[in-house]
Amino acid sequence: MILVTRLDRQTMFLNPDHIVSVEETPDTVITLFNGHHILVREHCQVILNRIIAFRSRILRRSGAVPNGHAYLRRQRNSRYHRSESEHFLTDDTKATLHPLHRQDT
């Protein structure tokens, strides 16, 4: 949620996922997907910076983006690769573990 200030100086939290557009006429108008309009004191760039900060905070907390430039390297999804223990299994054991994923030879 981002903090915005209405024209009457009342503060409110707004879900940035509900924002359709932000227009800066003399007053800044935020249009929500349900058709409501909110007039706020902040400029468009301030609102945009708050949305970016909010989303980056969400990504940081989820652990989805590694630190540094490691996000450029593709990480392998272990679900689709063999684990260390599967290398030592026999063909009969593999058939019982993954009967739907075995290719007919």
Side-chain angles (χ1 to χ4, degrees):
M1 302 289 234
I2 62 170
L3 184 68
V4 293
T5 308
R6 292 181 175 223
L7 292 180
D8 61 355
R9 297 179 192 254
Q10 181 183 14
T11 59
M12 66 179 283
F13 286 98
L14 181 66
N15 187 347
D17 295 329
H18 293 189
I19 295 175
V20 173
S21 66
V22 179
E23 300 174 25
E24 193 167 324
T25 55
D27 297 321
T28 305
V29 180
I30 299 175
T31 305
L32 304 178
F33 73 89
N34 61 1
H36 291 120
H37 300 284
I38 300 173
L39 294 168
V40 296
R41 292 181 158 270
E42 292 85 5
H43 294 286
C44 287
Q45 190 61 44
V46 173
I47 294 172
L48 181 62
N49 290 341
R50 288 180 184 174
I51 292 171
I52 291 169
F54 170 75
R55 295 219 169 120
S56 64
R57 216 173 24 243
I58 297 292
L59 286 174
R60 228 183 0 255
R61 288 181 183 172
S62 70
V65 179
N67 294 333
H69 293 287
Y71 68 92
L72 296 174
R73 285 180 261 144
R74 184 177 175 182
Q75 293 182 347
R76 295 183 184 190
N77 190 346
S78 61
R79 183 189 314 176
Y80 301 109
H81 298 287
R82 286 186 176 177
S83 65
E84 297 271 335
S85 61
E86 285 184 336
H87 288 291
F88 301 108
L89 297 175
T90 63
D91 287 336
D92 295 332
T93 311
K94 287 180 188 177
T96 58
L97 288 177
H98 307 290
L100 299 176
H101 298 287
R102 193 178 119 213
Q103 294 179 353
D104 294 331
T105 56

